[in-house]
Amino acid sequence: AQTVTQSQPEMSVQEAETVTLSCTYDTSESDYYLFWYKQPPSRQMILVIRQEAYKQQNATENRFSVNFQKAAKSFSLKISDSQLGDAAMYFCAYRSGFQGAQKLVFGQGTRLTINP
Amino acid sequence: EAGVAQSPRYKIIEKRQSVAFWCNPISGHATLYWYQQILGQGPKLLIQFQNNGVVDDSQLPKDRFSAERLKGVDSTLKIQPAKLEDSAVYLCASSLVGRLARADTQYFGPGTRLTVL
């Protein structure tokens, strides 16, 4: 079974600075997808960024980018120019590429605080 | 476009009582998911529907939990009888395409926070 581990329960960063959230995963599959979701106090999970395992290029979405190291099974999220609205729980998630196996396997989450 | 709707937002019950949650997915989304998120943990899949059929319910405690998706649209998740350890946020999500989709995104609702006393 696949597992996802986030080793940083909490992180904090000064507004406008850069922060990196860590995620490692364990799988024997070669085809899969990785995601970062943001969960603000409203509880709604919001997709931040996604990465297909077959793509070597790291995904980027505006101020959010990932460092995907397939051999090391590492998938970190970098947030540049941090804003107060970035404060939330961040979850790393894995999804198998096997057709029909679409459930997301989540890590424990990292609580990100932005200091003004 | 309206997002995933869930109700109620909060529910407090006594142990051994029953409770039901409702989810309305994004229009046209074939696949619907129910996740359980215990405080301090990431969400865990309880059940996945493809239209009105069950795809994966391997982690659903079937002795007390049940779910249905009549007509392939709305879904209800029921707990009967509830236990203290069922206190959690119950998240509903939906995605556009079904089993053949490789890259569809799951969109989440706001969740229902259940407290069992």
Side-chain angles (χ1 to χ4, degrees):
Chain A
Q2 295 82 22
T3 58
V4 177
T5 302
Q6 294 177 248
S7 59
Q8 306 156 314
E10 297 183 357
M11 291 284 285
S12 63
V13 64
Q14 290 295 125
E15 192 177 4
E17 297 293 308
T18 296
V19 63
T20 298
L21 308 184
S22 301
C23 172
T24 59
Y25 58 94
D26 187 29
T27 184
S28 58
E29 299 177 332
S30 59
D31 185 18
Y32 52 87
Y33 302 85
L34 295 165
F35 305 83
W36 278 98
Y37 276 87
K38 169 185 177 180
Q39 188 177 42
S42 65
R43 299 198 303 266
Q44 188 152 7
M45 300 285 275
I46 302 165
L47 178 66
V48 174
I49 199 165
R50 64 187 294 152
Q51 174 79 42
E52 290 83 353
Y54 62 85
K55 289 187 177 179
Q56 292 186 338
Q57 186 173 6
N58 289 324
T60 299
E61 288 287 342
N62 300 313
R63 297 182 295 108
F64 300 87
S65 62
V66 298
N67 183 7
F68 174 48
Q69 301 290 328
K70 191 171 184 178
K73 297 180 181 176
S74 170
F75 183 61
S76 61
L77 174 70
K78 185 172 82 171
I79 306 174
S80 303
D81 186 25
S82 299
Q83 300 176 0
L84 294 178
D86 295 333
M89 284 291 292
Y90 285 81
F91 291 93
C92 179
Y94 171 102
R95 203 193 91 192
S96 170
F98 175 71
Q99 289 182 352
Q102 295 177 305
K103 74 177 182 182
L104 292 170
V105 177
F106 287 89
Q108 299 284 79
T110 296
R111 181 176 303 281
L112 178 64
T113 301
I114 311 296
N115 300 313
Chain B
E1 179 182 82
V4 177
Q6 290 188 248
S7 68
R9 292 296 308 273
Y10 303 89
K11 189 73 177 180
I12 300 174
I13 61 173
E14 301 280 336
K15 61 182 179 182
R16 291 188 289 274
Q17 286 186 326
S18 62
V19 64
F21 312 126
W22 173 81
C23 173
N24 180 236
I26 294 173
S27 178
H29 280 198
T31 309
L32 185 146
Y33 314 78
W34 283 103
Y35 289 86
Q36 179 192 57
Q37 185 178 16
I38 294 173
L39 184 65
Q41 300 181 17
K44 179 188 77 174
L45 181 74
L46 291 176
I47 189 166
Q48 176 187 342
F49 291 95
Q50 165 73 17
N51 295 311
N52 60 350
V54 175
V55 174
D56 183 354
D57 63 357
S58 57
Q59 298 189 86
L60 186 74
K62 298 179 185 63
D63 58 333
R64 298 183 300 104
F65 285 66
S66 64
E68 61 182 8
R69 191 183 183 197
L70 299 177
K71 301 180 182 178
V73 182
D74 293 7
S75 177
T76 56
L77 176 69
K78 297 178 181 178
I79 308 174
Q80 183 179 10
K83 292 185 175 181
L84 297 178
E85 59 261 37
D86 298 332
S87 293
V89 174
Y90 291 85
L91 296 165
C92 180
S94 69
S95 61
L96 181 60
V97 191
R99 304 183 68 149
L100 298 181
R102 291 172 56 81
D104 58 330
T105 296
Q106 294 184 26
Y107 296 90
F108 285 80
T112 296
R113 180 181 296 279
L114 173 67
T115 302
V116 182
L117 302 175

